[in-house]
Amino acid sequence: WWHADDSKYSLLLQGLATSDKIAGPYKFDHAAAPLGNWSQDFGAFTDYKTGESYSLYSNGDRVEGRDVYISKFN
């Protein structure tokens, strides 16, 4: 998972690519707006006690977009 964007920094998505090896090569899977939100300052973590994984992100630099989200991966 990573912050996926274009050269104009206008997409604000989370992207997914997979590989059989940590060093790649990677194959692009898809990019999405989690819960319909923009995604900036993206991070991910896995709770070692439950094994559940989450993404953390904000949805913008403007006043109306300064919310911070946490979303559970399914």
Side-chain angles (χ1 to χ4, degrees):
W1 288 96
W2 80 95
H3 171 85
D5 222 320
D6 62 7
S7 63
K8 296 178 184 178
Y9 205 65
S10 63
L11 297 177
L12 305 171
L13 302 172
Q14 291 179 15
L16 173 66
T18 58
S19 175
D20 292 332
K21 299 176 185 174
I22 191 71
Y26 283 85
K27 180 181 176 188
F28 176 77
D29 187 296
H30 71 279
L35 303 176
N37 295 311
W38 294 333
S39 177
Q40 290 182 279
D41 303 326
F42 170 76
F45 77 93
T46 298
D47 183 327
Y48 74 94
K49 291 182 181 179
T50 66
E52 296 173 324
S53 295
Y54 302 85
S55 72
L56 294 90
Y57 55 96
S58 68
N59 72 338
D61 295 326
R62 294 177 292 195
V63 173
E64 66 275 14
R66 290 188 182 154
D67 295 325
V68 177
Y69 293 87
I70 182 168
S71 300
K72 183 176 164 184
F73 288 110
N74 56 15

